[in-house]
Amino acid sequence: MVLFQKQEWVNLNNERLQKYANLLVRAGGNVQKGSPVVISSAVDDAYFARMVQDAAYDAGASDVTIDWTDDASVRAKFLRASSEVFDEFPEWRVAKLKYQDDKGSVYLRIESSDPDNLKGVESDRLQRFTKVASQATRPHAELMMSNALRWSIIALPSPAWARKVFPTITEAEAIDKLWTCILKAARADGDDPVAEWQKHRENFTKRVEYLNAQQFDSLHITTGLGTDFTVGLVQNHNWEGGGDIDKTGIPFFPNMPTEEVFTMPHRDRANGRVVASMPLTYQGNLIENFEMTFKNGIVIDYKAETNQDILKNLMETDEGARRLGEVALVANSSPIGQMGVLFYNTLFDENASAHLALGKAYPTNMQGAESLTTEQRTARGCNDSLIHEDFMFGTADMNITGIKPDGTEVNFFKNGEFDI
């Protein structure tokens, strides 16, 4: 029944889906002639993955590989496999990644996971495998986060995800409604989505240029939920937004949608209380109604109404997991924010709300970081970790004051909106 519904949607909306696939290839990963491409897709989304594959070849890709995933198989492994397998990561997978990285592959990911797929799985198994997998694939993650490789993520609805977001209507109605929301959020519901994304990139320029010119020493952030928090920024930080540029000068959009401008917090200079405004989906589980208290950059206390053990596992990944690697600002009036939909998916929810990230910082947010060693970056305040997990804390009444090195205060974000 589900496959029929999907195929029916394809038959009725083939032209729109073709444009969506082309958007991922032409704007998201910006595939160039001669580029190898790697697509990550659920087996249930094969119809769309093949559209992306065709679009990539049409853009000049030399070879297109599809790596298939399956929520049900992943869940079965975590529930039934021998315990010792969660302490190892297959060497062939590491070798495969290195081969693809060395070829300069463009990575395209189609996201459609069930937010509750790993609900009920032993948290110890999740923690152990997440850590060993992160350690094994760290060189690949370094290349991605430093823009040495191009990559992009978009979403498709799955029945389970649609039911989670819209539980009061039929499955078919929920899938159709989630499709509509996804395409609108990704600016893919018009006649020329690629052109729309080029305009979208240009709209970030004013905010990014303003914030980079200010070079605030720190930000003081408050919300009606109880956040009262000051985060220091590294010297010579770099605000980004509206897409990235790889090492060869080719622009791309890692996340589609994206509404954020973001920079690097100093790993030792976060102080105060942060109250989350949305649930966090992590390891196939929802962490809800949680908060953290920071002192000198480190989370010294935290609590969650649900899945506090999962939050604990996240914090205990390594030393850097209790520190911040990103501060990102999103206007409450962003298209996703105005939908009033909780997507239970970080790709969307992070673009409805200002957010922070625990863990590894993006080196591109520090000027000159490409010429520094990891140790030198750390000495300048750049956090390092095996994880990078965004969580949302923005609200309609959020206020942010930028504090300059001389103590001058500038209230540039008022009641959830930029005042620039």
Side-chain angles (χ1 to χ4, degrees), residues 210-323:
Y210 171 85
L211 291 167
N212 280 329
Q214 298 303 309
Q215 282 296 298
F216 291 122
D217 176 70
S218 61
L219 306 176
H220 179 223
I221 306 173
T222 60
T223 72
L225 287 178
T227 292
D228 191 347
F229 173 70
T230 299
V231 55
L233 307 179
V234 296
Q235 286 189 337
N236 299 316
H237 57 268
N238 182 44
W239 287 88
E240 295 181 281
D244 286 324
I245 299 175
D246 78 0
K247 297 297 184 182
T248 65
I250 298 174
F252 66 105
F253 292 97
N255 293 339
M256 305 183 87
T258 185
E259 301 291 338
E260 64 179 317
V261 293
F262 61 98
T263 195
M264 184 186 296
H266 194 290
R267 71 188 305 273
D268 299 324
R269 297 180 55 219
N271 291 279
R273 180 185 183 217
V274 178
V275 180
S277 56
M278 295 183 180
L280 168 62
T281 301
Y282 180 67
Q283 296 179 332
N285 290 275
L286 283 176
I287 303 170
E288 298 179 281
N289 300 323
F290 64 98
E291 63 178 72
M292 305 174 192
T293 301
F294 289 83
K295 183 176 181 180
N296 297 328
I298 302 174
V299 177
I300 60 169
D301 191 25
Y302 59 91
K303 61 182 178 180
E305 188 174 294
T306 60
N307 285 321
Q308 182 162 312
D309 60 328
I310 302 294
L311 182 59
K312 179 176 183 288
N313 288 345
L314 172 62
M315 298 281 190
E316 292 180 349
T317 304
D318 55 25
E319 192 274 340
R322 286 179 176 259
R323 300 176 184 269

Side-chain angles (χ1 to χ4, degrees), residues 337-357:
Q338 290 303 298
M339 285 184 195
V341 174
L342 178 60
F343 286 90
Y344 299 98
N345 182 296
T346 301
L347 176 63
F348 288 84
D349 292 334
E350 73 171 3
N351 288 296
S353 168
H355 52 275
L356 300 167

